[in-house]
Amino acid sequence: LPLIAVGLMGLARLGGVGETETHRDAPVLFGWSVAAALGFLMISNFYWYYFMPLLLTLSILTAPLLRKRLTAVLIVILLTAWPLWISDTPSWKQTVDRKASIAALTRIISPYVGSSRNCLYVFDGPSSLYLTTHSCLPSRFAYPDHLSNDVERTGLGVDSAAEMRRVMHSRPGAIVMAETKVVPILNRANVDELRTALESNYQLAGRIRHGWRMIRVYVRNDLYAKP
């Protein structure tokens, strides 16, 4: 929010700084800002990192405000202190805890998945588990949001419900699902398809807290029954 405010102030100042080169650059910077803003707003699935295209544009737009030393110092302090104040970054404990939870989940999952068969499927949870377990991918839409987030249901280029059925029919060796959703709206049809499969062919193998969410690991019955 402070960067947006400072960027807009800089954009307003562009037309009045009295330099020909700046006047000439103003339309380009204005057009770039509009294009970046539209690129951000057209993605209805909102995550903070989708704002990154605007960060560079807004940062450049602060330049006219940095001509006066006092103003420049205040802006630098504001744009440095605000992110640190509203976040808990860096948090070494959080990093250690999350590495430990990924390691614990990996230990639970690894015996039941492989690189060519019995793939892992992460419906809602850390997608890094595909890497740490050396699992094959059950779908080219392996990123959890693709099939779990209702916003992406019409944006895949395929029938998301049909793809979910195909994934479940491939009988993944293990399935990961969080107890608390992170997406705004879940794809209800795919949730129902997942729950039907879990109730019929899977059993709970473990629960691990990862960050603020509890992650469940389900293992296919015929695999879990093996000694």
Side-chain angles (χ1 to χ4, degrees):
L1 292 176
L3 185 58
I4 292 174
V6 172
L8 291 176
M9 291 169 60
L11 184 62
R13 184 76 64 86
L14 280 176
V17 293
E19 290 190 6
T20 304
E21 290 185 359
T22 306
H23 281 292
R24 188 173 63 232
D25 292 340
V28 176
L29 292 174
F30 177 76
W32 185 8
S33 304
V34 171
L38 290 175
F40 168 67
L41 294 173
M42 70 186 294
I43 303 175
S44 57
N45 188 9
F46 177 82
Y47 289 108
W48 288 114
Y49 46 79
Y50 291 152
F51 191 75
M52 285 193 295
L54 270 165
L55 293 181
L56 179 58
T57 312
L58 291 171
S59 298
I60 292 175
L61 287 175
T62 64
L65 304 178
L66 303 180
R67 294 172 180 273
K68 295 182 178 180
R69 180 172 298 179
L70 178 59
T71 304
V73 170
L74 291 176
I75 288 175
V76 170
I77 292 175
L78 173 65
L79 298 183
T80 303
W82 177 262
L84 294 176
W85 182 65
I86 66 173
S87 70
D88 57 357
T89 303
S91 174
W92 304 114
K93 183 179 185 306
Q94 183 183 82
T95 300
V96 171
D97 289 347
R98 295 205 174 201
K99 284 185 176 180
S101 60
I102 289 293
L105 288 166
T106 301
R107 285 193 295 270
I108 296 173
I109 297 167
S110 291
Y112 308 107
V113 300
S115 58
S116 59
R117 58 192 299 269
N118 295 327
C119 298
L120 167 67
Y121 177 53
V122 180
F123 180 77
D124 184 7
S127 55
S128 59
L129 291 171
Y130 287 119
L131 177 65
T132 60
T133 61
H134 306 288
S135 170
C136 51
L137 299 179
S139 168
R140 66 189 179 99
F141 304 105
Y143 185 66
D145 274 47
H146 290 326
L147 297 178
S148 67
N149 194 337
D150 193 65
V151 173
E152 299 201 16
R153 174 172 47 83
T154 59
L156 300 178
V158 300
D159 185 334
S160 66
E163 180 64 13
M164 187 67 184
R165 287 193 297 271
R166 191 198 65 77
V167 172
M168 292 297 98
H169 290 165
S170 73
R171 304 181 73 233
I175 296 176
V176 168
M177 183 177 184
E179 295 182 3
T180 305
K181 69 182 179 71
V182 70
V183 300
I185 305 175
L186 285 170
N187 185 323
R188 296 311 311 174
N190 287 354
V191 170
D192 292 342
E193 185 73 29
L194 175 69
R195 286 179 174 167
T196 298
L198 293 179
E199 291 171 1
S200 303
N201 301 310
Y202 292 81
Q203 58 182 294
L204 183 65
R207 296 169 67 247
I208 300 293
R209 180 169 295 282
H210 180 67
W212 57 274
R213 300 201 297 165
M214 188 67 72
I215 307 297
R216 292 189 174 196
V217 176
Y218 292 88
V219 173
R220 208 173 69 219
N221 289 336
D222 62 310
L223 297 176
Y224 197 66
K226 293 180 180 179

